[in-house]
Amino acid sequence: MLSGIDYFIVIAYLAGIMLLGLYFRKFVHSSQDFFLAGKMLPFWAIGMSIVATDIGALDFVGLAGNAYEYGIAVANFDWLGSVPAMLLAAFVFVPYFWRAGFYTIPEYMGRRYNDHVRAAVSVIWLIFFAFDLGVVFWATGLLLQELMNWPIWLSVLVTAGVVGLYTICGGLTAVVMTDAVQMIIMFVGGGAVVATGFWRVGGWSGLVDKVTALGPAYQNHFELILPTTTDTPFPWTGILFGLTFVMANAYMIGNQAIVQRCLAAKNEWHAKASMIFGAFLKMFIPLLTVFPGLMALVLLKTPVEKGDEAFPSLIRTMLPAGMKGLLFAAFLAGLMSTIDSLLNSGATLWTKDVYERFIRKDATDAHYLRVGRIVTAALLLFGVVATPVTGKFDTLYEAIQTYLSFFQGPLFSLLLLGIFWKRATQWGAMVGFVGGLVISVSFFLLKGNLFTIESPFLYISWWSFVIATALNIVVSLRTTPPPPESLHGLVYGLGGDPKTNGVTRSPEC
């Protein structure tokens, strides 16, 4: 339970972050201000916002829990996963997206392929964002119930009210600037746990000696690369093919909630630098999220039944009053930064890719601004309603990875072939994307008969990517290629102004 000083820290944080977010309302005068912050964001704020969006309380709990059970190999989700993908995004994909003046990643799909592909990708991301909100709200409810004895529904409503208010009012500017503050809070709170833990276990050498002394089952806990023969969901094959090649790239290059910040940079240099700076910050994340799971093996007197219980148990037994409140504020910062990003990016997808493109093409800018705010509120409501669905999964981490594994492979296939292969056609893209989705869902439903590990999401992502790519190539080679002039500025190595290229293509193209 929290003490008086802990309650004060948490309440002060909630009030402060809401006031900070509301302050940026005065900068929102147009739809571009709301969705892209007027394209005036500096690289350091974008980089911090990307990290805050990607890393939240789910990662503190989930990654620490996986480290408790399987060891340091889970750090590869940042070191071998995110960092290379972010550098690829910085030097190849983001410059193309920024120069074209895109609002969304599906907008690139529309110009590169056709409007049907654009709509399909937008709808998939919208569905994911909506249910992902439910996951994050559920995590918030569990956290507040555990530490403050609040009912889950009350916790969800309080969080939704605070985040929803400043996101609806301040748009992307409020989201990015509050994320930057929340990232600092996460680093300070997480760093306090790690520093205290290392002091208690006797430093790095003490941690290694005490964990390996627990028995043969813990000898691989400090191995970054695990063989396929070990009983783990993170063998080297899954990490290399599923994570490094597919999931990380799809997430950092094709995720609207991540890339939208780069599109709001004040110039192309800041757009590139934001991803590079974010990659630098991401290298420190395993220190904050993975190492506490290893420390829990040593410091907890009673082993926990599930890995997800390791981090909360460590906090209850190790941290004094005041530091608990600081870490709790860090947890809330992670949760809230994820929520505000999902809300703003989801509203951008619906308004720009669906509403403006297919429903109301000639409305005023003030109308689109109003629609963006309405959709933000609607997504917020849906996320609250969808919260109980998450309770049907064994862990929060499993819920997120299950949702992502359905479409990450096909999505990355679309992006990769679209920007590097000028022969890819609109029909190849559609068949590849839909076929990849069908394959990934089928693999998930049949996973017990196809895979030997309990959570095969890494392999599902890899094989759905391979099959989607093969389908795209085969169909593209058998259909008419797109006219060369339509690819200028959209395919790597082809110059020209992508803003002059059309979006809708006729069936005979």
Side-chain angles (χ1 to χ4, degrees), residues 8 15 24 46 98 162 215 238 242 265 281 288 325 394 408 425 439 463 476:
F8 173 79
F24 291 101
I46 298 172
W98 190 91
V162 172
L281 295 174
L288 305 178
D394 292 335
Q408 290 284 66
T425 68
I439 290 297
W463 286 114
S476 292

Side-chain angles (χ1 to χ4, degrees), residues 465-480:
F465 165 76
V466 170
I467 294 172
T469 302
L471 289 172
N472 194 333
I473 292 174
V474 169
V475 175
S476 292
L477 291 175
R478 297 182 66 87
T479 53
T480 305

Side-chain angles (χ1 to χ4, degrees), residues 28 55 113 158 167 203 231 241 341:
V28 179
I55 300 298
Y113 298 116
V158 169
T167 304
D231 184 20
F241 295 104
S341 300

Side-chain angles (χ1 to χ4, degrees), residues 42-52 86 183 273-275 277-278 281:
F43 79 92
W44 57 267
I46 298 172
M48 295 170 75
S49 179
I50 289 173
V51 174
M86 294 175 78
M183 195 218 74
S274 64
M275 270 291 184
F277 182 52
L281 295 174

Side-chain angles (χ1 to χ4, degrees), residues 202-439:
W204 175 253
S205 60
L207 178 64
V208 174
D209 292 341
K210 291 175 182 177
V211 170
T212 53
L214 294 175
Y218 300 93
Q219 299 307 304
N220 290 328
H221 262 52
F222 291 92
E223 298 291 333
L224 272 174
I225 307 299
L226 294 177
T228 56
T229 55
T230 57
D231 184 20
T232 171
F234 312 115
W236 74 267
T237 50
I239 291 295
L240 177 62
F241 295 104
L243 174 65
T244 307
F245 286 171
V246 179
M247 290 192 73
N249 287 307
Y251 191 83
M252 290 298 173
I253 296 170
N255 187 344
Q256 179 68 21
I258 298 295
V259 181
Q260 185 173 340
R261 286 143 180 70
C262 301
L263 304 181
K266 60 175 64 178
N267 56 43
E268 186 178 334
W269 184 90
H270 280 265
K272 293 178 182 178
S274 64
M275 270 291 184
I276 298 172
F277 182 52
F280 169 74
L281 295 174
K282 286 279 282 180
M283 291 191 293
F284 297 96
I285 295 301
L287 179 66
L288 305 178
T289 58
V290 175
F291 287 2
L294 299 172
M295 296 171 182
L297 287 167
V298 177
L299 297 176
L300 294 181
K301 296 180 180 179
T302 304
V304 296
E305 294 183 4
K306 289 185 176 182
D308 284 355
E309 300 172 2
F311 195 80
S313 298
L314 185 68
I315 301 311
R316 285 195 299 268
T317 59
M318 187 177 71
L319 294 185
M323 286 190 66
K324 288 183 180 178
L326 177 63
L327 186 68
F328 186 33
F331 265 45
L332 277 179
L335 290 165
M336 292 169 65
S337 64
T338 301
I339 293 171
D340 60 27
S341 300
L342 294 174
L343 289 173
N344 186 259
S345 296
T348 307
L349 287 171
W350 171 263
T351 306
K352 304 302 293 186
D353 291 321
V354 179
Y355 186 84
E356 183 177 345
R357 190 66 193 168
F358 298 103
I359 300 175
R360 186 84 178 271
K361 296 184 178 181
D362 55 353
T364 64
D365 185 76
H367 177 80
Y368 292 130
L369 173 59
R370 184 164 59 254
V371 169
R373 283 174 165 158
I374 292 173
V375 174
T376 302
L379 276 172
L380 188 70
L381 179 61
F382 184 90
V384 171
V385 174
T387 298
V389 175
T390 305
K392 299 184 182 297
F393 291 89
D394 292 335
T395 65
L396 298 173
Y397 185 75
E398 178 187 346
I400 290 291
Q401 297 303 331
T402 297
Y403 294 152
L404 283 172
S405 67
F406 289 154
F407 64 94
Q408 290 284 66
L411 173 67
F412 184 53
S413 174
L414 275 185
L415 286 167
L416 193 66
L417 291 177
I419 203 167
F420 286 114
W421 191 41
K422 63 182 180 180
R423 187 64 177 77
T425 68
Q426 56 180 335
W427 301 116
M430 182 59 76
V431 172
F433 186 64
V434 175
L437 288 176
V438 172
I439 290 297

